[in-house]
Amino acid sequence: MTILITGGAGYIGSHCCVTFLEAGHDVVVVDNFSNSSPESLNRVASITGRKIAFEEADIRDRTALERILKTHQCSGVIHFAGLKAVGESTEIPLEYYANNVTGTLELLAAMNACDVRQLIFSSSATVYGEPQFLPLTEDHPLSATNPYGRTKLMIEDILRDLAASDPRWRFGILRYFNPVGAHKSGLIGEDPRGIPNNLMPFVSQVASGRRDQLSVFGNDYDTRDGTGVRDYIHVVDLVEGHLRAHEALAALTDETNSFTVNLGTGTGYSVLEMVKAFERASNQKIPYEIAPRRAGDVAEVYADTKAAEAKLNWSAERGLEDMCSDTWNWACKNPKGYEASDG
Ligand code: NAD
Ligand code: UDP
């Protein structure tokens, strides 16, 4: 039986393909390349030595999804496809609701029609809003402060309603903290288009000389050095969490047919700690300036990891040094991302 991976050509999806193929699963990727390159799938094939089935399609195309689910005899779905930039989501909210929410509804309808009722969903720690306590446990109150976050919360609600309505469904909702790093080979990694929004790809581009300096968004937070603290997790640890989640889905029952877990390390690092760690890993100086706080940012976010340990028998293994050195290895081997390899 085959697992359908939506958004499988993207940053996390491509790493997930490697982990699942190496674990002996068959996968088929659906992606519309709105934020990725087909080259990532060639690289997945190089790493694993396995040919990868791939269908170029939009998840809003229910007919195409039904055909793909049937043709490949899929038994379950890992759902990464969606738009993910917080700032952009405030500018083009309709695109975000259409891609993320409508896309997920079409996917679920296609699955239902094909009797495929098992799905792992990429949610985000953004659904916790401003932390009321730390570490963040899965029962922390949920709220959203921007359209992107609202799409994640809406989709979670849709999955909870569906799980309650029909015991045949099986859902694993995974709330990611801050995925960073790259596969050890340096063949796949994060390849943001334009100016990176996120800290790690920006720092990496400063280290490689592609950008002059980092703007540190605020140094007056109530944290140990005044800069924002986040729970960075190595992308390979993150996708291994998906493998454990896939196994855990099989153990669910009609009475308890879904779970929600955080995927983080439980440890937070500040922006300046990340800069220092990246300087050590890359042996490059990273110039930075202190800039005003970024709208919507919170001081400190890190996960409670007990539920993941208990329900998935999983915890992150890779530390900050691996996160930085693997990012740097990917950046050095692919100074222009996948661009240079695209036809
Ligand atoms: P990404 O942009 O690299 O990957 C998403 C993939 O989905 C891309 O390949 C894109 O082309 C594809 N896609 C988008 N809309 C599509 C559509 N309508 N039909 C078909 N394909 C479509 O992003 P990523 O970092 O790999 O994130 C994967 C998932 O994890 C997303 O749902 C994201 O919201 C979620 N997530 C990411 C982070 C993070 O920091 N990277 C954190 C929390 C949650
Ligand atoms: N950050 C920063 N400069 C940047 C990008 C991010 O100082 O160019 C800070 C940001 O304010 C936050 C941390 O780095 O404290 C992580 O930001 P990122 O966008 O990577 O993740 P998120 O805010 O979504 O958790």
Side-chain angles (χ1 to χ4, degrees), residues 7 9-13 31-36 57-60 80-82 84 99 122-124 148 152 176-177 179:
Y11 170 45
I12 303 170
D31 205 299
N32 67 357
F33 296 127
S34 58
N35 196 39
S36 57
D58 194 295
I59 55 163
R60 287 166 288 182
F80 294 106
K84 63 164 183 175
N99 259 278
S122 303
S123 191
S124 163
Y148 167 71
K152 292 293 175 193
Y176 308 162
F177 281 66

Side-chain angles (χ1 to χ4, degrees), residues 199 202 213-221 225-228 271-272 275 287-295 297:
L199 179 66
F202 201 104
Q213 64 174 358
L214 170 73
S215 293
V216 175
F217 297 143
N219 68 348
D220 56 353
Y221 286 106
D225 62 18
T227 66
V271 175
L272 294 181
V275 167
Y288 67 84
E289 56 159 11
I290 305 297
R293 290 182 178 194
R294 184 170 64 178
D297 270 359

